[in-house]
Amino acid sequence: MKETLNIETERVDDIPLLLAHMQRMNLAELLDKHIPAHGNRKGLSLGNVMMVWLSHILSEANHQMNHVQEWVMRREEVVRGCGLKTFEARDMADDRLADVLRALSNDIHWVAFEQELMGNLVRVYNLQKECIRVDTTTVSSYAEVNEEGLLQLGYSKDHRPDLGQLKVALASLDPLGMPIATEVLSGEKADDRVYLPIIARVREGLGEKGLLYVGDCKMAAIQTRATLQFQSDFYLCPLSSVHVPFDQLQREIDELRKKDTPVKNVERVNDKNERICIAKGYEICQELTAEVNGQMQTWTERRFLIQSTRLAEAATRSLQERVKKAEQALQNVLVRKQGKPHLKTRTEIDEVIQGVVKEFRVEGFLDITIQEEIHERQVRAYRGKLSSPRQEVLFTISSKRNEKALEYSISHLGWRVYATNQKTDALTLEQTVEAYRDEYRVERCFERLKGHPCSLAPMYVQRDDHRVGLVRLLTIALRVLTLLESVVRQNLEKQKREISGLYAGNPKRRTHQPTAQRLLEAFSEVTLTIVRTPGFLQRHITALSSHEPRYFSIAGSYTCHLSSID
């Protein structure tokens, strides 16, 4: 009698690495601890369902619920081999995933979960916590907007003011850029009121005061700065033209130059090992007073007047180009063309000139002269009318650059004002420039959240609780991604090693700072083959390349799940 031979194949990919990493982060246990499950619930717990769903999101760059069950049906043995022995594909049905979103949308449960997760990750991974970056973004949706809903019309950072949107605020930990606190708000909310609540949650979750919070000019509201000073925390943010008008900034720079105040240069070594000046500036102090919780708070704020070299150069090129275009436009004012109105009076010419000056924003940079020449010409007689003289006025326009005004304006381009209440020995002018130039770290979080691999924007879920839960779920995915990336880079730095094989088309290219996405892509061809016959079972995993075992070893000290699968 012939025995039936059954051969099954499953994609392993990066699932063991992701699940092992999430288990080390203790995500499932913390979620199950803070979010009570229904008494009649059967199957996998909410925490474990969330982990498998996060594996799908990060592996497939797809968070849509209707794709998950089919995906895990082709990987059941792989998931079971990663410590979830009771796992069944029905655990990832749409209704189970919707339960996860509804659970994460509960504000009380979410705050408790996020607070403990924040402290655990900082402690387990020994993360620095001196600097926190806070910023906001918007996420658009094609769903309808209603007055009571989360989706509202407002200023869109996606450049889609016609779509409803919600607002996401993130507090991320430097230097790795990992989110530690999240707020989801309706799309019409102003940014300046978001900062204090999320900072308060960070302060409570980390259990520390005296941290430096870095934000953009919307964090510079006087009440926000005063509250941070009152709470014994520190802030660093640029001041907008509302706080320091451009005329005031010009006067302060002129006064410092008149006093021969030494300017401080900020230098950096470029790719050619040359020291170049990236910025320069001055430091001044300003006494501020504001009321916080019924008490008057007075403090000395340090302000840095900083001119970025690249910004000044770009602004100078832009100004010179505008002046050049304005000069060309002035030369063409009196040129007659078909369809162009003929200017006959001085008033009409003055109006056109003022329009050109305003269009190119060159007020005060050009000395414009209009000359009039009166010519007489004899009009010949016709139809019984006698020959008579006629006067015609010919206008000419000339312009000359006001070099003094141009030079003065150029010397004031590229300047910004940064404010902080941090002490001088803890934050110098040079450190201020470097700190704000690292603002890309929180922007990178938003890029991953809204683009690859989280793919939040545009948002297709239809219920507000699902929207809130989805945003929070994907911020957990960001934590997984950034921590994995940080662990790899730290281990490479300790071992003083570089790895190769991550770049398509250039397998020999080496790096000591691989991104998490490239690291996960390296496992895309790992496959599990299962051979079954009555009384016989054998599993076989695709032989790893020469690079992949090293990727597993540098991704952390925990044991890889591959050995338990095979």
Side-chain angles (χ1 to χ4, degrees):
M1 179 177 179
K2 295 183 179 180
E3 296 182 348
T4 302
L5 181 66
N6 186 15
I7 301 177
E8 301 173 8
T9 302
E10 293 187 2
R11 292 283 298 271
V12 177
D13 298 337
D14 48 13
I15 300 173
L17 181 60
L18 288 169
L19 288 176
H21 188 60
M22 285 186 276
Q23 287 165 358
R24 189 185 181 201
M25 293 172 65
N26 209 25
L27 289 180
E29 289 78 0
L30 285 178
L31 190 72
D32 292 334
K33 173 184 175 181
H34 291 286
I35 299 181
H38 192 279
N40 295 329
R41 181 182 177 84
K42 296 182 180 180
L44 219 57
S45 69
L46 276 178
N48 286 319
V49 170
M50 180 189 69
M51 279 205 316
V52 178
W53 191 4
L54 287 174
S55 298
H56 172 264
I57 291 171
L58 294 176
S59 184
E60 299 294 314
N62 181 2
H63 66 259
Q64 297 181 51
M65 291 185 282
N66 58 349
H67 291 187
V68 181
Q69 189 172 21
E70 182 182 354
W71 180 79
V72 295
M73 286 177 66
R74 302 192 299 270
R75 295 166 174 83
E76 284 187 86
E77 288 295 327
V78 174
V79 176
R80 292 190 191 114
C82 293
L84 305 178
K85 297 182 180 180
T86 62
F87 174 78
E88 300 289 343
R90 62 173 176 267
D91 290 322
M92 306 305 295
D94 289 1
D95 58 339
R96 297 293 182 95
L97 302 182
D99 288 343
V100 173
L101 296 186
R102 284 193 294 271
L104 291 175
S105 69
N106 185 294
D107 293 337
I108 297 175
H109 296 158
W110 168 257
V111 169
F113 164 76
E114 191 177 52
Q115 298 290 85
E116 186 168 353
L117 177 64
M118 184 192 313
N120 281 1
L121 295 182
V122 169
R123 183 180 63 257
V124 171
Y125 290 89
N126 193 26
L127 302 178
Q128 299 178 23
K129 49 184 177 179
E130 288 81 13
C131 181
I132 312 294
R133 297 184 184 274
V134 187
D135 204 353
T136 63
T137 191
T138 57
V139 181
S140 302
S141 173
Y142 291 98
E144 292 185 3
V145 176
N146 62 77
E147 294 182 0
E148 303 298 327
L150 189 66
L151 295 178
Q152 296 294 329
L153 297 176
Y155 175 75
S156 173
K157 298 184 180 181
D158 298 327
H159 308 291
R160 290 301 306 266
D162 57 315
L163 297 180
Q165 64 181 23
L166 56 80
K167 184 161 291 187
V168 181
L170 285 184
S172 63
L173 195 64
D174 260 11
L176 69 160
M178 182 191 73
I180 55 175
T182 311
E183 289 283 352
V184 184
L185 307 162
S186 57
E188 86 286 2
K189 297 288 186 182
D191 285 1
D192 54 355
R193 298 187 179 183
V194 174
Y195 292 91
L196 288 178
I198 197 169
I199 288 173
R201 287 179 49 197
V202 172
R203 186 187 302 115
E204 182 181 351
L206 297 180
E208 285 193 25
K209 294 184 177 182
L211 303 179
L212 176 64
Y213 293 91
V214 181
D216 56 17
C217 58
K218 294 179 286 295
M219 197 181 86
I222 186 64
Q223 197 62 36
T224 303
R225 288 182 281 162
T227 304
L228 288 173
Q229 171 69 23
F230 180 76
Q231 297 288 350
S232 301
D233 286 319
F234 302 107
Y235 59 83
L236 171 63
C237 53
L239 300 182
S240 69
S241 58
V242 175
H243 303 99
V244 182
F246 184 67
D247 293 342
Q248 178 184 339
L249 176 59
Q250 283 186 321
R251 289 195 302 270
E252 290 178 350
I253 294 172
D254 291 340
E255 289 176 4
L256 290 168
R257 288 172 174 170
K258 287 179 182 178
K259 296 177 182 178
D260 292 328
T261 305
V263 64
K264 296 181 180 179
N265 292 329
V266 181
E267 296 183 342
R268 179 181 287 179
V269 179
N270 62 9
D271 297 336
K272 299 179 181 179
N273 204 26
E274 300 171 341
R275 296 193 67 84
I276 58 173
C277 178
I278 62 172
K280 61 181 179 180
Y282 304 96
E283 179 179 342
I284 60 176
C285 293
Q286 181 75 35
E287 291 291 330
L288 297 178
T289 301
E291 184 178 341
V292 180
N293 298 334
Q295 302 179 23
M296 296 305 297
Q297 185 75 16
T298 301
W299 75 102
T300 300
E301 181 177 80
R302 298 168 60 213
R303 292 186 176 181
F304 302 103
L305 282 59
I306 297 173
Q307 183 187 43
S308 167
T309 302
R310 286 189 178 181
L311 182 60
E313 291 174 351
T316 300
R317 289 194 298 269
S318 176
L319 174 57
Q320 292 173 341
E321 187 67 22
R322 295 202 313 272
V323 171
K324 183 178 179 180
K325 289 181 178 180
E327 290 174 330
Q328 183 64 38
L330 290 173
Q331 292 177 9
N332 296 331
V333 167
L334 299 177
V335 175
R336 302 188 65 175
K337 292 183 180 179
Q338 185 176 0
K340 179 181 177 181
H342 178 49
L343 304 178
K344 299 179 180 180
T345 66
R346 176 70 175 262
T347 302
E348 291 176 342
I349 295 173
D350 282 335
E351 289 178 358
V352 173
I353 290 175
Q354 291 303 317
V356 170
V357 170
K358 185 176 180 180
E359 177 185 356
F360 294 101
R361 294 177 287 122
V362 292
E363 294 86 347
F365 300 140
L366 292 175
D367 296 326
I368 304 171
T369 304
I370 304 175
Q371 295 179 340
E372 300 180 19
E373 294 183 9
I374 301 176
H375 296 271
E376 286 190 1
R377 67 183 182 87
Q378 199 72 18
V379 179
R380 64 185 179 85
Y382 67 99
R383 291 186 179 181
K385 293 185 179 181
L386 300 176
S387 175
S388 61
R390 179 179 295 178
Q391 289 186 344
E392 290 185 346
V393 181
L394 298 179
F395 296 96
T396 57
I397 300 174
S398 61
S399 63
K400 182 180 179 182
R401 294 190 181 189
N402 188 335
E403 298 294 346
K404 188 175 181 180
L406 274 172
E407 182 180 354
Y408 177 81
S409 180
I410 288 173
S411 68
H412 291 80
L413 294 175
W415 288 88
R416 294 195 73 181
V417 182
Y418 296 84
T420 184
N421 62 337
Q422 181 64 278
K423 299 177 182 178
T424 304
D425 56 350
L427 189 66
T428 63
L429 184 144
E430 293 83 358
Q431 291 170 330
T432 298
V433 173
E434 295 292 348
Y436 201 74
R437 286 189 173 223
D438 289 337
E439 192 70 5
Y440 71 89
R441 290 169 177 165
V442 68
E443 295 295 339
R444 188 171 179 235
C445 279
F446 291 141
E447 289 177 5
R448 285 175 161 178
L449 178 66
K450 297 161 69 172
H452 187 83
C454 297
S455 306
L456 176 59
M459 183 181 294
Y460 293 106
V461 289
Q462 299 299 311
R463 293 172 40 166
D464 278 350
D465 58 344
H466 287 183
R467 295 184 180 108
V468 174
L470 180 60
V471 171
R472 290 171 173 173
L473 175 73
L474 295 181
T475 61
I476 298 174
L478 277 181
R479 290 169 171 88
V480 175
L481 208 61
T482 52
L483 267 178
L484 178 62
E485 187 174 276
S486 175
V487 168
V488 171
R489 292 182 176 185
Q490 286 178 5
N491 288 337
L492 285 173
E493 185 178 356
K494 289 178 182 178
Q495 300 170 18
K496 296 182 179 179
R497 292 172 52 192
E498 295 182 337
I499 56 176
S500 58
L502 296 179
Y503 296 91
N506 192 1
K508 294 183 179 180
R509 179 179 173 181
R510 307 181 66 82
T511 180
H512 66 283
Q513 288 190 324
T515 63
Q517 291 97 316
R518 290 193 181 276
L519 188 68
L520 295 177
E521 288 170 2
F523 299 96
S524 59
E525 300 300 325
V526 182
T527 305
L528 169 67
T529 303
I530 306 172
V531 180
R532 300 177 189 269
T533 61
F536 177 79
L537 173 65
Q538 185 174 4
R539 297 181 176 88
H540 178 264
I541 290 181
T542 305
L544 300 180
S545 70
S546 59
H547 303 294
E548 287 162 340
R550 288 188 295 145
Y551 299 160
F552 275 121
S553 66
I554 61 177
S557 58
Y558 47 82
T559 303
C560 173
H561 281 313
L562 277 181
S563 58
S564 61
I565 296 175
D566 193 359

